[in-house]
Amino acid sequence: DTGVSQDPRHKITKRGQNVTFRCDPISEHNRLYWYRQTLGQGPEFLTYFQNEAQLEKSRLLSDRFSAERPKGSFSTLEIQRTEQGDSAMYLCASSQGVSNEKLFFGSGTQLSVL
Amino acid sequence: RKEVEQDPGPFNVPEGATVAFNCTYSNSASQSFFWYRQDCRKEPKLLMSVYSSGNEDGRFTAQLNRASQYISLLIRDSKLSDSATYLCVVPPGGGNKLTFGTGTQLKVEL
């Protein structure tokens, strides 16, 4: 069972640096989501892809954040000029079909900005 | 009113107890709802879907009260392994953004 995989598991960076995370969804899943989670909070929606099209993006997502899913398979999330407030767990999830049901989450990438 | 609200807890209960959590939502157009479970430092995993008729799976029962705009999760005969954070999830009336609550932390003790 190849679930959703994310890389890296942990990333420590200095403020002002750029970082990029990768997500490989379950192979037959056409829907891919990025969420961000901080301690004591639920996952916060960032963006959503259906195949290669980015169909929704949170208003909370600043222009320093960009996500791509070029061939409708894996996705990348880039954060430019990182800030300490970007420190969080970045979760990727995928699902199949037309409904919002049953998101399968990856283990996440824990970002620490020093 | 927040889109999804949950009591963060923690709920500390003895093993074998029955415990219930509520989650209120603001979007009356939402049709189906979900409970996810998240263990410490792990990713969320789907526990149950909640439809208008409710849902029962073993010791777990989820119900929807559309008039008052809340969903509930009841856990009977609590086990130590039920200790986790339970996240309420509400889809929008339209669109694709699943909104998660802050989660309710459950600690089951001997």
Side-chain angles (χ1 to χ4, degrees):
Chain A
D1 176 24
T2 55
V4 179
S5 62
Q6 292 187 246
D7 184 68
R9 290 294 303 276
H10 304 276
K11 179 69 177 179
I12 300 173
T13 191
K14 292 182 180 179
R15 190 173 48 188
Q17 298 294 306
N18 298 344
V19 294
T20 300
F21 310 141
R22 177 179 170 123
C23 170
D24 287 88
I26 293 172
S27 58
E28 63 269 23
H29 285 185
N30 60 340
R31 300 161 77 94
L32 186 147
Y33 304 77
W34 284 99
Y35 281 82
R36 174 173 66 188
Q37 187 174 26
T38 54
L39 199 62
Q41 300 297 314
E44 175 189 33
F45 173 81
L46 294 179
T47 191
Y48 157 72
F49 289 86
Q50 183 160 321
N51 299 310
E52 66 276 9
Q54 187 174 20
L55 297 184
E56 195 163 346
K57 193 174 173 181
S58 170
R59 290 172 296 166
L60 301 174
L61 211 61
S62 79
D63 56 7
R64 297 185 297 106
F65 287 72
S66 62
E68 294 183 342
R69 194 183 183 196
K71 297 181 180 179
S73 56
F74 74 92
S75 175
T76 58
L77 177 68
E78 181 183 18
I79 309 174
Q80 295 181 326
R81 305 182 302 283
T82 53
E83 301 172 357
Q84 287 185 324
D86 297 331
S87 296
M89 174 72 80
Y90 289 83
L91 292 162
C92 176
S94 69
S95 70
Q96 174 68 330
V98 298
S99 73
N100 288 308
E101 293 190 31
K102 194 150 190 179
L103 295 187
F104 291 83
F105 282 88
S107 300
T109 294
Q110 181 67 52
L111 173 66
S112 297
V113 182
L114 305 178
Chain B
R1 186 178 187 180
K2 286 186 178 179
E3 288 184 83
V4 184
E5 286 195 83
Q6 293 184 254
D7 181 343
F11 284 58
N12 298 308
V13 302
E15 201 174 14
T18 295
V19 62
F21 315 132
N22 282 346
C23 165
T24 58
Y25 62 93
S26 60
N27 187 346
S28 58
S30 296
Q31 294 297 311
S32 54
F33 307 83
F34 310 99
W35 284 102
Y36 276 70
R37 170 189 169 134
Q38 186 171 27
D39 293 299
C40 188
R41 301 187 185 279
K42 298 285 189 181
E43 71 274 19
K45 293 183 180 179
L46 179 67
L47 177 67
M48 297 182 76
S49 303
V50 189
Y51 301 107
S52 56
S53 57
N55 196 2
E56 184 172 332
D57 182 6
R59 298 181 295 108
F60 296 82
T61 300
Q63 292 190 315
L64 166 64
N65 185 317
R66 203 177 284 282
S68 300
Q69 293 186 211
Y70 74 85
I71 64 172
S72 62
L73 178 67
L74 180 78
I75 305 175
R76 290 180 295 276
D77 189 22
S78 301
K79 311 291 185 192
L80 294 174
S81 57
D82 294 334
S83 297
T85 295
Y86 291 84
L87 298 160
C88 169
V89 182
V90 178
N96 303 285
K97 184 187 80 170
L98 282 175
T99 302
F100 284 75
T102 56
T104 297
Q105 188 180 10
L106 171 65
K107 295 182 180 179
V108 181
E109 303 163 333
L110 286 171

